[in-house]
Amino acid sequence: MSDTQSEQKTSARKAVRGLDTLIKKELTPREVVAELDKYIVGQKKAKRAVAVALRNRIRRLKLESEMRDDITPKNILMIGPTGVGKTEIARRLAKLVGSPFIKVEATKYTEVGYVGRDVESMIRDLMSAGVQMVKQEMQANVTTEAEKHAEDILLDLLLPGTGKKPRDNKPQGNAPVVRPMGSFAINPDNGPGIMGTTIQVGIPIYRNNPTRQVSGNENNNQPDDTAQSEAQQEQADPAIEEAKDKTREKFRARLREGKLEDKMVEITVSQTPQAPLMMGGGLEDIESAISGIMGAVGGSSKKKLVTVSRAREILIAEELEKLIDRDRVNDEARQRVEQTGIIFIDEIDKIAVKGDRSSGPDVSREGVQRDILPIVEGATVNTKWGPVNTDHILFIAAGAFNVSKPSDLIPELQGRFPLRVELDSLGKDDFLRILTEPKNALTKQYVELMGTERVEIEFTPEAIDRLAALAAEVNTRLENIGARRLHTIMEALLEELSFDAPDIAPHKVSITEAYVNEKLIDLVTDQDLGRYIL
């Protein structure tokens, strides 16, 4: 095997090892869809598309370096009405695999030359999310050590003088120890006298032999007293230190038992200077540079009087910052962003230019598309954490396209989203499943919320069926906002109960079909009132 092939094999193995860190576990497409089914009802096509895109990223990282660099992600364009699960699919996917993820709205960006956010800021936001993610993971590994350090600092604040003193300056072994002996006046016979001038004379002694003296003109009448005092002091120190240690351990036990949480202590808190707020996307690079310079210069510190409980939180946070390697965090975050980052661009249909119109505000819309294009195609964006390459970041765009259509996007941008998935509108059966099947179903959420007030609520199957039917009916007659309709219907249904819950607890309420009709039928049937159900 040649050296080049060996290097490629080594690089591939490193990529696989990095994959274990970047993507926690290798999920098959079927497993990804099964996980998404726990939170999102329906939309099989969209789930399968993102599952395959995710698996392809894992496959790419297992290839040899030369082939791996040439394979680009297949970006996805989701087409469907609002409230059908486009954003939730992308968010759950990123959380499932531990990838850096951000959601942005295409309407927030402006083309170059206009005041507003430039499209490169989405990469900076993604890198910021990646740094925060990696930092939290690394801090989780040193939390125990940080808590121990914070505990020792708290004990030093509560019991000044009981901490361990550095002993570096103390002589070791048989090194002589000089102790102050006394003072005398110098008044020589020949020459002017120096009256009142005194000096201190020390007698060198050896730690292992306190009675040993160094020859010289020192006063030999006092060495026995000095040596005796020295020996007594040496004997007393261990007893004092032992008493201090016992007191410190008693306070440590009380601290761990939570008996000192309300005691006030004074701590010194370091403050990092903040860069001045600058408006306009074109100045973001300058703002990042100023922030980096101010961070390098360092900030001031001030003393705060806080409780032990609050001091512990502050001290642990400071210790965690000290225990992690910032350079390693930045490098790991940049690698994770470049290899597994996901950017969800919502409302992309709002920047599509309809028809042949090329004047007015549509010029700016098309300009935003042109600016997004190089980012999606692959570019290097400068951030305060270093340059970030976007070649292998997965972009998922979404839009309702009820006014414009995907073909209204510029051709180059259309080509960068080769996978198009249409999401289905939600009907009664979908609403029924949304109310019952997901792990975070709305009915389960309200049961838990009311349970905190000692009010037990129970939804009957007939009531849930009626809620689903009402949501579908309102979506048909008014604007179709998908599953978001369920949120407002549930709030309207339980508004009175939520208001009265603290006053009627403990109490049990059964939500029946009659209860649903009583609370909602007027709002649903009256067209004027129906508009209040969003």
Side-chain angles (χ1 to χ4, degrees):
M1 182 181 294
S2 65
D3 294 340
T4 303
Q5 290 176 335
S6 177
E7 290 177 1
Q8 290 178 349
K9 291 288 186 183
T10 302
S11 177
R13 286 195 295 271
K14 288 181 179 179
V16 175
R17 285 199 299 271
L19 181 63
D20 294 336
T21 302
L22 298 174
I23 304 183
K24 299 179 182 177
K25 55 183 178 180
E26 297 184 15
L27 296 173
T28 65
R30 196 177 304 278
E31 290 173 337
V32 172
V33 172
E35 289 294 325
L36 294 176
D37 283 339
K38 295 179 181 179
Y39 302 96
I40 303 156
V41 170
Q43 313 303 352
K44 291 295 183 182
K45 293 180 181 178
K47 292 176 183 176
R48 288 170 65 92
V50 297
V52 170
L54 174 63
R55 189 66 182 183
N56 282 336
R57 306 187 90 180
I58 297 175
R59 293 165 179 158
R60 185 188 71 83
L61 289 174
K62 291 184 177 181
L63 296 174
E64 305 294 343
S65 59
E66 183 177 353
M67 180 66 70
R68 185 172 65 245
D69 293 339
D70 292 335
I71 297 177
T72 57
K74 306 303 182 288
N75 299 320
I76 302 170
L77 177 62
M78 293 185 180
I79 305 168
T82 182
V84 296
K86 300 187 296 292
T87 305
E88 192 65 15
I89 288 174
R91 181 179 287 114
R92 290 291 177 182
L93 180 72
K95 187 175 182 180
L96 179 63
V97 299
S99 296
F101 171 82
I102 60 166
K103 173 185 177 293
V104 299
E105 283 78 29
T107 53
K108 285 186 176 180
Y109 302 103
T110 61
E111 63 178 314
V112 175
Y114 286 75
V115 176
R117 301 199 72 190
D118 68 89
V119 295
E120 290 187 351
S121 64
M122 69 173 70
I123 305 301
R124 300 188 187 99
D125 293 342
L126 181 65
M127 186 62 191
S128 177
V131 169
Q132 189 65 23
M133 176 184 293
V134 174
K135 185 169 76 169
Q136 289 177 353
E137 292 177 3
M138 290 188 176
Q139 287 180 345
N141 297 327
V142 295
T143 299
T144 302
E145 186 178 356
E147 290 175 348
K148 185 178 182 300
H149 290 178
E151 184 180 75
D152 290 335
I153 297 174
L154 281 175
L155 289 173
D156 291 341
L157 295 172
L158 293 168
L159 297 170
T162 63
K164 299 296 182 183
K165 302 296 190 299
R167 303 175 64 87
D168 296 341
N169 296 329
K170 286 195 174 184
Q172 302 294 329
N174 291 327
V177 180
V178 179
R179 300 289 184 185
M181 173 184 173
S183 60
F184 57 89
I186 298 177
N187 189 12
D189 295 335
N190 299 326
I194 306 176
M195 304 301 298
T197 303
T198 63
I199 61 172
Q200 289 186 332
V201 179
I203 299 179
I205 62 175
Y206 286 86
R207 184 173 293 279
N208 292 342
N209 185 8
T211 61
R212 179 179 175 184
Q213 301 176 23
V214 179
S215 59
N217 294 328
E218 59 268 30
N219 190 342
N220 293 328
N221 294 329
Q222 299 182 2
D224 292 340
D225 295 339
T226 303
Q228 183 177 2
S229 174
E230 191 69 30
Q232 291 176 351
Q233 190 174 19
E234 289 292 333
Q235 293 175 358
D237 286 345
I240 295 174
E241 292 299 324
E242 184 178 357
K244 289 181 179 180
D245 290 342
K246 288 183 178 180
T247 303
R248 189 178 179 88
E249 292 306 314
K250 288 180 180 178
F251 267 75
R252 188 188 300 274
R254 295 181 63 189
L255 192 62
R256 292 177 177 176
E257 293 171 0
K259 296 181 178 179
L260 303 175
E261 296 299 287
D262 296 331
K263 189 174 180 62
M264 304 298 292
V265 293
E266 188 179 65
I267 63 174
T268 302
V269 181
S270 57
Q271 294 180 308
T272 302
Q274 298 295 325
L277 179 63
M278 295 186 178
M279 302 301 293
L283 298 178
E284 288 183 357
D285 287 333
I286 300 176
E287 183 179 348
S288 297
I290 294 177
S291 178
I293 294 173
M294 297 181 72
V297 172
S300 60
S301 60
K302 69 174 184 178
K303 293 184 176 181
K304 293 179 64 176
L305 192 64
V306 295
T307 63
V308 167
S309 176
R310 176 58 181 155
R312 183 187 291 105
E313 296 176 3
I314 296 174
L315 292 173
I316 289 176
E318 290 185 349
E319 291 300 315
L320 286 173
E321 287 289 339
K322 296 176 184 176
L323 290 172
I324 62 173
D325 185 351
R326 298 292 302 182
D327 292 336
R328 183 185 169 195
V329 169
N330 295 343
D331 292 341
E332 178 75 14
R334 184 164 56 251
Q335 181 188 12
R336 189 174 299 193
V337 165
E338 290 181 345
Q339 301 299 327
T340 68
I342 300 175
I343 295 181
F344 183 80
I345 306 177
D346 202 5
E347 308 293 349
I348 197 168
D349 58 316
K350 304 302 187 296
I351 62 171
V353 181
K354 184 179 180 180
D356 298 328
R357 296 181 348 193
S358 58
S359 59
D362 295 313
V363 175
S364 180
R365 294 179 188 178
E366 187 172 328
V368 175
Q369 295 183 58
R370 288 195 299 268
D371 290 344
I372 290 179
L373 180 61
I375 302 296
V376 179
E377 283 185 332
T380 300
V381 177
N382 291 322
T383 71
K384 65 180 180 181
W385 301 278
V388 176
N389 187 277
T390 68
D391 286 344
H392 302 290
I393 294 176
L394 177 63
F395 291 87
I396 302 176
F401 289 100
N402 50 4
V403 176
S404 59
K405 51 186 181 294
S407 58
D408 291 331
L409 296 170
I410 61 175
E412 297 85 353
L413 191 59
Q414 293 182 49
R416 296 307 300 174
F417 289 90
L419 299 182
R420 297 186 182 181
V421 182
E422 292 191 19
L423 285 81
D424 303 322
S425 298
L426 302 178
K428 175 189 171 182
D429 293 339
D430 296 314
F431 289 141
L432 187 61
R433 295 179 59 194
I434 291 172
L435 288 171
T436 56
E437 291 184 8
K439 293 179 65 175
N440 58 345
L442 279 178
T443 52
K444 299 175 184 177
Q445 293 179 23
Y446 279 97
V447 168
E448 295 297 327
L449 285 173
M450 292 294 101
T452 62
E453 301 277 8
R454 295 187 302 156
V455 174
E456 182 182 353
I457 61 176
E458 179 184 2
F459 290 89
T460 64
E462 295 78 14
I464 296 176
D465 185 84
R466 181 59 176 157
L467 286 171
L470 290 176
E473 181 183 345
V474 176
N475 267 355
T476 302
R477 192 166 63 244
L478 303 176
E479 289 293 331
N480 184 3
I481 61 173
R484 293 187 178 92
R485 183 76 63 187
L486 291 173
H487 289 272
T488 50
I489 282 188
M490 290 292 290
E491 281 294 322
L493 173 69
L494 299 174
E495 179 184 8
E496 183 178 344
L497 183 60
S498 297
F499 185 84
D500 295 334
D503 302 323
I504 63 176
H507 190 61
K508 182 175 181 179
V509 179
S510 180
I511 308 297
T512 63
E513 183 178 1
Y515 187 96
V516 173
N517 289 331
E518 178 187 352
K519 300 295 181 182
L520 296 180
I521 196 64
D522 292 338
L523 292 176
V524 175
T525 56
D526 192 319
Q527 293 288 344
D528 292 332
L529 294 177
R531 68 178 183 272
Y532 292 107
I533 301 183
L534 300 179

